[in-house]
Amino acid sequence: MGLLEGKVALITGAARGIGKAIALKFASEGADVAFTDLVINEAAEETIREIEAFGHKVKGYASNAADFEQSHDVVSQIVADFGRIDILVNNAGITKDGLMLRMTEAQWDAVINVNLKSAFNFIHAVIPVMARQRGGSIINMSSVVGVSGNPGQCNYSASKAGMIGLAKSIAKEMGPRGIRANCIAPGFIISDMTKALPDEVRENWVKTIPLRRGGTPEDVANVAVFLGSDLSSYVSGQVIHCCGAMNC
C-alpha cells in the first residue's frame, strides 16, 4: 500500500516540471490527483495519461490560479468530482527577473499575483473543505531565494518569502482543525529553464552546491510525498530545504 493511499491531492501548475513530478509521484504512492494549469493542452493531456497508468483517478482543470473566483470555482468542482481534498500543493509560479532599478510595476504585480496570491486563493478555497474533514496537508512551493534573496529577483524572492509566512500563519490558525501547512524550498533544480543556461553558468552553479549536483524534480517530489503523508503528521509550520546543502 502506498503512502498516500486513499488521499486526494490538488496540485496547481502541474502540467510540467516540478508540479508534474509531484503529481506522478503522488499517484505512484496511491493518491487520486486533480491538477490545474492555465490551459489543458497536449502537455497536460500527457500528464493525465501518465498518471492514469498508475491506475488512479486523475483530472486536469483549466484555471488561472491568480484569479480568486476561478480558484474557488475549480475547488468546488474538484470536491464534486473527487469527494474530498486531502493535500493541496501550491506550485503555480512564474519568473519575470530584473534588477529593481529596471523592474516595472507589471513585472512585480505579475509575479506576486501568480506566485503568492494564487497560494492565498487556493488555501482560502480549500480550508473549509479540510476543516470539515478535520485534517489536511497544505504544501507551499517556496524557494531558497525566499530565504536568502537573490539579485535580480526581488519580485520572485518576495513572493517565495511570502509563501513561507503564509504557511507558518496557516499552520498556527488551522492546527486545531488538524490542518498542517509547510513549505518546500528547492535550490538549483534541473529543468527546461536551467538546461537553457550556458554550460559554464550551470557548471559554476553546481560548484557552489556541497552535493555537487543539481536537484531533480523527483527530489522535490519525494519531499512533497513526505509532507503529504502521515509520516509527517507532527510536522507543521516548517520549511524543508531541498538544495543539496546549497543554502543551509
Side-chain angles (χ1 to χ4, degrees), residues 71-92:
S71 300
H72 281 68
D73 288 345
V74 78
V75 165
S76 295
Q77 188 59 55
I78 290 168
V79 172
D81 292 341
F82 287 80
R84 59 188 296 115
I85 298 173
D86 301 286
I87 306 165
L88 167 66
V89 182
N90 286 308
N91 172 73

Side-chain angles (χ1 to χ4, degrees), residues 196-208:
L197 295 171
D199 290 344
E200 183 180 356
V201 172
R202 282 190 285 112
E203 289 168 5
N204 288 335
W205 203 340
V206 168
K207 288 176 183 177
T208 68

